[in-house]
Amino acid sequence: AYGAAFAATINPNSVVREANFIISARGSAQVQATGMQNALDASAAEHFGRKFICSSPVGYTQIQAIAQVATLRSDRLFYTWPGWQVFLPEIASRGTAGGDGFTSDGIITVRADGPLASLNCQLPPEENPGQKTDLIARFFAVEETASPLQMSDYIALKAAGICAPRVAGPSGSIYQSGITSVDPDSDPGLITQARRKMADFIQDTLAQRMVPLSKKLNTAARRDAIRAIIENFLSALESSNAPDL
């Protein structure tokens, strides 16, 4: 069923072609592999550049997460571990009488892929999702692990291609490193999520703007028109008259 759902998002004649990010409620190894392939297939099939954001299941150890992400290396796959803790008053008011997933204090642990997807969808493409922002402030603690994560752990997680949640003292909740799952030793230029997002934004925008010139004769005037499209778009991004932008 999940494979069919992923397959339904590959359709150049539907609005799904504009999806930049995809996540899944299920996080099995098969779903993760299918999700990553979906991002690769969509990006190669006349769709906007797509990224799959996934997380290991709640309860995974650091060793398990690192072993899993090693099989999923791609700059189109953003992998995060461990999960976040969040307080839900609706659960607190119901308590354990609510059944599976309910707690007496209303605090539950959720996978970190949803919040990471939310960050990437709301921030401009050039922005690092690892920055401090109020967008994930409600997630007040990191999932409990065998021992509290130290900076040495976060260094190891970054090297493994894992975008890890962290509560950075008074700064609050952040993702320690906004990285993709690629191996930084073999593909150092493909590490950051911001680079992948911004590259997709530029390529997708230019592709749309050049559609009127597609398949027409390669005249000097049309070459000039293409150059003008590119230069006007990039100069607007540069905002030379407004450096803060």
Side-chain angles (χ1 to χ4, degrees), residues 61-144:
T61 66
Q62 183 173 337
I63 292 175
Q64 287 176 304
I66 290 176
Q68 186 175 64
V69 75
T71 68
L72 300 168
R73 297 289 201 178
S74 171
D75 69 327
R76 292 199 174 278
L77 183 130
F78 303 170
Y79 186 103
T80 178
W81 174 90
W84 284 113
Q85 289 188 333
V86 61
F87 169 72
L88 298 178
E90 296 85 356
I91 288 182
S93 65
R94 181 70 169 158
T96 55
D100 290 345
F102 282 71
T103 59
S104 59
D105 58 7
I107 296 174
I108 64 169
T109 300
V110 298
R111 296 201 328 244
D113 50 355
L116 181 59
S118 181
L119 270 178
N120 275 305
C121 288
Q122 294 183 71
L123 292 173
E126 73 274 17
E127 293 282 356
N128 182 349
Q131 66 183 267
K132 168 66 177 116
T133 170
D134 292 335
L135 294 174
I136 57 170
R138 64 194 297 252
F139 301 96
F140 66 90
V142 173
E143 174 186 356
E144 293 184 3

Side-chain angles (χ1 to χ4, degrees), residues 4-245:
F6 277 116
T9 70
I10 305 292
N11 184 348
N13 299 314
S14 166
V15 69
V16 296
R17 68 182 295 275
E18 299 179 10
N20 296 121
F21 300 97
I22 190 166
I23 63 174
S24 171
R26 186 174 179 87
S28 68
Q30 183 179 0
V31 165
Q32 290 184 348
T34 303
M36 183 180 74
Q37 191 60 49
N38 175 271
L40 297 173
D41 292 344
S43 301
E46 299 183 83
H47 293 54
F48 286 10
R50 185 176 297 179
K51 283 72 64 179
F52 177 53
I53 300 180
C54 71
S55 177
S56 50
V58 171
Y60 256 40
T61 66
Q62 183 173 337
I63 292 175
Q64 287 176 304
I66 290 176
Q68 186 175 64
V69 75
T71 68
L72 300 168
R73 297 289 201 178
S74 171
D75 69 327
R76 292 199 174 278
L77 183 130
F78 303 170
Y79 186 103
T80 178
W81 174 90
W84 284 113
Q85 289 188 333
V86 61
F87 169 72
L88 298 178
E90 296 85 356
I91 288 182
S93 65
R94 181 70 169 158
T96 55
D100 290 345
F102 282 71
T103 59
S104 59
D105 58 7
I107 296 174
I108 64 169
T109 300
V110 298
R111 296 201 328 244
D113 50 355
L116 181 59
S118 181
L119 270 178
N120 275 305
C121 288
Q122 294 183 71
L123 292 173
E126 73 274 17
E127 293 282 356
N128 182 349
Q131 66 183 267
K132 168 66 177 116
T133 170
D134 292 335
L135 294 174
I136 57 170
R138 64 194 297 252
F139 301 96
F140 66 90
V142 173
E143 174 186 356
E144 293 184 3
T145 54
S147 58
L149 296 178
Q150 307 295 327
M151 185 50 64
S152 58
D153 295 308
Y154 283 104
I155 291 173
L157 291 169
K158 180 178 181 180
I162 296 177
C163 175
R166 178 185 173 210
V167 177
S171 296
S173 300
I174 61 170
Y175 285 88
Q176 177 61 22
S177 305
I179 58 170
T180 70
S181 65
V182 299
D183 183 344
D185 292 327
S186 61
D187 294 299
L190 305 181
I191 293 175
T192 67
Q193 295 177 23
R195 185 213 66 86
R196 179 68 273 164
K197 294 186 298 173
M198 191 60 179
D200 283 344
F201 173 61
I202 292 173
Q203 293 163 11
D204 293 341
T205 303
L206 291 178
Q208 291 181 88
R209 295 187 181 188
M210 291 183 187
V211 167
L213 295 166
S214 178
K215 301 180 180 65
K216 293 184 178 180
L217 290 178
N218 183 7
T219 64
R222 289 187 181 123
R223 289 196 298 273
D224 289 343
I226 290 173
R227 184 185 181 101
I229 290 171
I230 295 172
E231 291 186 347
N232 289 339
F233 174 63
L234 294 180
S235 64
L237 292 183
E238 186 179 32
S239 299
S240 57
N241 294 325
D244 288 344
L245 300 178

